[in-house]
Amino acid sequence: MIDVFSRRIVGWRVSTSLRSDRALDALEQAPYDRSLEGPLVHHTEVLHRDGPWRGPDDVEMATLEWVSWFNTIRLLEPLGNLPPAEFEAQYPQQVTAADFVAVALK
């Protein structure tokens, strides 16, 4: 699950089957990572590069490492070439500065 605002991964699950409850678990994880209301967009990734995998635990650990990289290191052009976590951290200062300028101009 990716937050549309910052493109941060907020929900994910690993499973050895295509049962729908795994996708639902990821959907349920996302709101706990966020204090936001509104619709969630589901995004799926398939891990090919480092396979074959010995078991679900290996896939889960690799996925956790990938999610950490995606959220804290990967630069995203739509976010001004910042990683999602950095974009989110800077957002409050941007809003405060923009609000201050708008008030000063009145």
Side-chain angles (χ1 to χ4, degrees), residues 20-55:
S20 62
D21 62 334
R22 296 288 91 192
L24 294 175
D25 288 347
L27 280 170
E28 291 175 2
Q29 178 185 356
Y32 289 102
D33 189 82
R34 292 282 181 244
S35 299
L36 304 173
E37 296 180 12
L40 299 175
V41 176
H42 182 259
H43 177 75
T44 327
E45 286 292 335
V46 179
L47 300 172
H48 288 290
R49 184 186 63 193
D50 296 328
W53 304 99
R54 291 177 292 192

Side-chain angles (χ1 to χ4, degrees), residues 56-71:
D57 290 343
D58 292 335
V59 174
E60 187 169 14
M61 183 55 72
T63 303
L64 180 59
E65 290 171 358
W66 185 83
V67 167
S68 177
W69 167 82
F70 186 97
N71 285 342

Side-chain angles (χ1 to χ4, degrees), residues 77-89:
E77 185 176 348
L79 303 179
N81 290 315
L82 297 173
E86 188 174 337
F87 178 80
E88 286 182 348

Side-chain angles (χ1 to χ4, degrees), residues 9-10 19 21 42 80 84 92:
I9 296 173
V10 295
R19 293 183 3 213
D21 62 334
H42 182 259

